[in-house]
Amino acid sequence: MNSVRKQVGSRPLLYRRGLGAVMIATVSWSLCSLQRSATEADASAEPARTYVVTEYPFPMCESGPQGLAPGPDGHMWIAESGANKLARSNLDGSMTEYVVGPPPANCSTPINENPLQITSGPDGRLWFTEANGDHSVDAIKPSTGKISRYGAGMLSPIGIAAGPDGAVWCADSDICRVTTKGVIAEYATSSGSPTYIAAGPDGNLWFTEQGASTVGLVTPSGVVHEYHTPTAGSEPTGITAGPDGNIWFTEAGVGKIGRITPDGSITEYGVLGGASPSFITTGPDGDLWYTLGGAADAVERMSTSGAVLGDITFPSHGPYGDNLFDIAVGPDGDVWVTENQADLLAKIQVVSGSYVERIASGFVPNSVSDRQGKSVEWQNFGPTDDTVTDATGLQLYDSGSLTPDQTFEYSFYAAGTYAYESTLTGGGGYVRVPVFVKPKMGSVTSVFTIRWASMSASTGFAYDVLVLRPGASSYVPL
């Protein structure tokens, strides 16, 4: 093969030139969504990682940050509900603010417009809700800061999300659909109390009804279906599309995380200590990340099998805690969080990779997840010598004989699932490195970023990307 092609997917996307078998993996690409075609095992225990939490203050006291979202301009955008402003944050935390309504004269002045949630729209603008003041759905153009208002006079719009149909959807007293020209249609729910909303992996919009302990969906044509949670008083709040083709949501009233399949089957999983989870997103590692509200001051991670993988604690800034609120993955691949009570924006960075122990019974955990470019460290705890050897057929690494207490480290820069084994004592495991895709869903005019490796292929290797285009029955080279 004379040309270098690039590939994405569930097996290692690398292949070595000159080998008889080429490992092919794929990425699915439909009209309005991008999804990995991977089937990967969840981590059975929390990989030992080091996280750094960096906090950035807002210029205004009592800014009350709530919703946040990555913008099409490569910045993070935040709704400052207490300051009647939007903030655009560079990745280093420096901010520019845009006035939504009359700013409070001082920190005790009642708020007016109250921007709550924000999302990147299909038209290159950021769309956000105003729960007070105009009670509207608004849009801001990142390049100019110009704000346009639509649908003034709604009851109290809260959640907002871009849909697969090129429109923006919001949760008001009904579910509302807003075109980029400002044409509004409303679809009633049985409770009349939808709260937050997200685009699902099935082409529908999914929403929570906090006061009714209900999760619902609305099709792009406006057909509504609702499903009650198994636990009464669950207060479903944040909601997101999961990496497994299901929809995940928080149950703030009962300390649980819910998973609902596209056909409406709900499973609930407890969080550590029964804390109250607020908002949730799919993290850069393919796990579910969610904020723990109130005074818990932590972000927790859960695998798609429902196993809690550990938490990341934040410094406390007062007797009432930080009230960690919304959470989203930024354009830098880091996880960003608003601290509503502490008036802070936070960024979580993974600064070290995963850790695996080799004990007499095998590798623990035998499956770990890591970001592109991060390393995995194996340590032999004996009682005999052992090895860590690539088992993909790509001949990527071989630790050689490791005596008890010796370690071996390898960095994985390309997406895929990498098998490894011990050539001395048997057994093995997997390292999974997810493809980075942003956004998960959009319209035919949306620009998608797909990153399958953090660096160019090494000498003697190549990538191979195959794409399944809308209406096609087979994959073709990208």
Side-chain angles (χ1 to χ4, degrees), residues 171-192:
D172 188 32
S173 55
D174 298 319
I175 297 298
C176 59
R177 178 183 183 272
V178 186
T179 71
T180 55
K181 300 295 184 182
V183 179
I184 298 176
E186 296 187 355
Y187 306 99
T189 67
S190 62
S191 72

Side-chain angles (χ1 to χ4, degrees), residues 358 363 376-380 384-391 395-403 406-410 420-425:
R358 173 57 172 174
F363 291 97
V376 175
E377 181 182 4
W378 291 264
Q379 184 168 7
N380 180 21
T384 63
D385 291 359
D386 217 326
T387 70
V388 177
T389 305
D390 173 50
Q395 304 169 21
L396 296 175
Y397 54 88
D398 187 338
S399 68
S401 182
L402 299 174
T403 60
Q406 271 196 304
T407 62
F408 173 73
E409 187 172 333
Y410 184 81
Y420 65 86
E421 63 183 357
S422 166
T423 58
L424 290 182
T425 59

Side-chain angles (χ1 to χ4, degrees), residues 209-214 228-237 250-256 268:
E209 297 180 87
Q210 195 172 55
S213 296
T214 299
H228 290 286
T229 61
T231 305
S234 61
E235 298 181 13
T237 306
T250 61
E251 296 184 319
V254 293
K256 294 180 179 180
E268 297 173 318

Side-chain angles (χ1 to χ4, degrees), residues 23 29 48 123 374:
M23 292 193 173
W29 187 4
D123 57 352
K374 295 297 181 180

Side-chain angles (χ1 to χ4, degrees), residues 249-322:
F249 58 95
T250 61
E251 296 184 319
V254 293
K256 294 180 179 180
I257 300 297
R259 182 191 69 196
I260 184 168
T261 62
D263 64 1
S265 176
I266 297 176
T267 306
E268 297 173 318
Y269 304 97
V271 305
L272 289 179
S276 177
S278 297
F279 290 83
I280 187 168
T281 192
T282 296
D285 53 1
D287 295 318
L288 285 307
W289 293 52
Y290 47 92
T291 53
L292 298 179
D297 293 341
V299 168
E300 200 165 84
R301 293 172 47 239
M302 178 177 286
S303 74
T304 53
S305 65
V308 175
L309 302 175
D311 57 19
I312 305 159
T313 56
F314 281 53
S316 182
H317 297 282
Y320 304 106
D322 300 337

Side-chain angles (χ1 to χ4, degrees), residues 105-391:
N106 54 60
C107 291
S108 61
T109 303
I111 56 178
N112 297 303
E113 307 301 333
N114 196 206
L116 291 183
Q117 291 293 301
I118 189 167
T119 190
S120 185
D123 57 352
R125 293 185 292 176
L126 278 298
W127 288 72
F128 60 98
T129 53
E130 283 189 44
N132 292 320
D134 289 327
H135 299 277
S136 59
V137 172
D138 304 346
I140 184 171
K141 189 174 182 179
S143 60
T144 64
K146 179 183 177 181
I147 294 176
S148 302
R149 284 186 169 85
Y150 305 101
M154 293 181 176
L155 182 63
S156 184
I158 301 176
I160 191 166
D165 56 349
V168 176
W169 293 70
C170 70
D172 188 32
S173 55
D174 298 319
I175 297 298
C176 59
R177 178 183 183 272
V178 186
T179 71
T180 55
K181 300 295 184 182
V183 179
I184 298 176
E186 296 187 355
Y187 306 99
T189 67
S190 62
S191 72
S193 63
T195 316
Y196 297 97
I197 190 167
D202 57 349
N204 297 314
L205 282 299
W206 288 77
F207 57 91
T208 54
E209 297 180 87
Q210 195 172 55
S213 296
T214 299
V215 175
L217 74 83
V218 58
T219 68
S221 61
V223 178
V224 174
H225 300 275
E226 293 165 286
Y227 308 94
H228 290 286
T229 61
T231 305
S234 61
E235 298 181 13
T237 306
I239 189 166
T240 191
D244 57 349
N246 297 309
I247 299 89
W248 291 73
F249 58 95
T250 61
E251 296 184 319
V254 293
K256 294 180 179 180
I257 300 297
R259 182 191 69 196
I260 184 168
T261 62
D263 64 1
S265 176
I266 297 176
T267 306
E268 297 173 318
Y269 304 97
V271 305
L272 289 179
S276 177
S278 297
F279 290 83
I280 187 168
T281 192
T282 296
D285 53 1
D287 295 318
L288 285 307
W289 293 52
Y290 47 92
T291 53
L292 298 179
D297 293 341
V299 168
E300 200 165 84
R301 293 172 47 239
M302 178 177 286
S303 74
T304 53
S305 65
V308 175
L309 302 175
D311 57 19
I312 305 159
T313 56
F314 281 53
S316 182
H317 297 282
Y320 304 106
D322 300 337
N323 190 20
L324 304 190
F325 207 79
D326 207 356
I327 184 168
V329 177
D332 52 358
D334 294 323
V335 178
W336 293 73
V337 176
T338 50
E339 300 182 51
N340 179 257
Q341 185 71 33
D343 297 320
L344 295 170
L345 174 67
K347 177 169 67 173
I348 304 173
Q349 295 171 285
V350 182
V351 296
S352 66
S354 300
Y355 175 79
V356 180
E357 296 179 356
R358 173 57 172 174
I359 59 178
S361 60
F363 291 97
V364 180
N366 77 334
S367 177
V368 295
S369 179
D370 228 333
R371 287 166 54 184
Q372 297 168 21
K374 295 297 181 180
S375 62
V376 175
E377 181 182 4
W378 291 264
Q379 184 168 7
N380 180 21
F381 278 81
T384 63
D385 291 359
D386 217 326
T387 70
V388 177
T389 305
D390 173 50

Side-chain angles (χ1 to χ4, degrees), residues 1-4 14-23 393-395 458-463:
M1 178 177 281
N2 295 322
S3 62
V4 176
L14 283 170
Y15 66 85
R16 182 184 288 274
R17 296 178 184 275
L19 291 180
V22 176
M23 292 193 173
L394 297 174
Q395 304 169 21
S458 302
T459 302
F461 289 88
Y463 301 136

